[in-house]
Amino acid sequence: MKIAAGADHGGFALKQAVVRRLRSLGHEVIDVGTESEDVSVDYPVYGHKVGELVASGEVERGVLVCGTGIGICMSANRHKGVRAADCFTPYHAEITRRHNDCNVLCLGGRLLSEDEAWAITEVWLETPFEGGRHEQRVALLDEEDPA
Ligand code: RB5
């Protein structure tokens, strides 16, 4: 799978670990940065970069990491067609794939160990979208006037 990855300084270390594991499984990863945890950077920069790559179809999925996963998730979700979810457990990852067709996984670099993050990522990679009643709900996410 072609996957874009990004992080701010708070997510740098975990992003490096997740990217390394994704590549070892054979995934093609575009790493948009950041490149260090020593320089404070703005999480929306990286959230928007990955959001654009997913929204344009250049990559199938994205992985984003900041301190909590929250701010970088908000940034990615500004892009139409992006369904980013901050996941704290494998259950979050399973349900957001099955029900929300989540295409951007967000992780908290200051909250999760590498093994916890990878357990979440594996479930997110392997779980299919259920479709059915969820198709219409997911389509409504991008509607201007869904009511
Ligand atoms: C950076 O200190 C921190 O605010 C950021 O990584 C993230 O947690 C924001 O949501």
Side-chain angles (χ1 to χ4, degrees), residues 10 40 45 50 52 70-71 82 94 106 114 127 142 146:
S40 184
V45 171
V50 168
E52 276 170 24
I70 295 171
V82 167
E94 182 193 336
C106 302
E114 184 180 324
T127 306
D142 284 325

Side-chain angles (χ1 to χ4, degrees), residues 2 11-12 18-19 26 40 45 47 72 77 85 97 105 114 117 139 143 147:
K2 199 168 175 184
F12 169 76
V18 171
V19 166
S40 184
V45 171
I72 211 155
N77 273 322
R97 282 292 310 137
L105 173 67
E114 184 180 324
E143 284 292 321

Side-chain angles (χ1 to χ4, degrees), residues 34-94:
T34 189
E35 294 307 332
S36 155
E37 62 189 356
D38 302 327
V39 181
S40 184
V41 294
D42 299 323
Y43 58 81
V45 171
Y46 304 93
H48 286 311
K49 282 184 184 181
V50 168
E52 276 170 24
L53 287 168
V54 172
S56 68
E58 200 167 321
V59 298
E60 213 173 312
R61 303 261 192 106
V63 176
L64 286 168
V65 194
C66 67
T68 58
I70 295 171
I72 211 155
C73 191
M74 290 177 172
S75 328
N77 273 322
R78 293 288 195 275
H79 297 263
K80 196 168 182 173
V82 167
R83 294 176 299 279
D86 196 3
C87 293
F88 297 91
T89 66
Y91 182 72
H92 285 96
E94 182 193 336

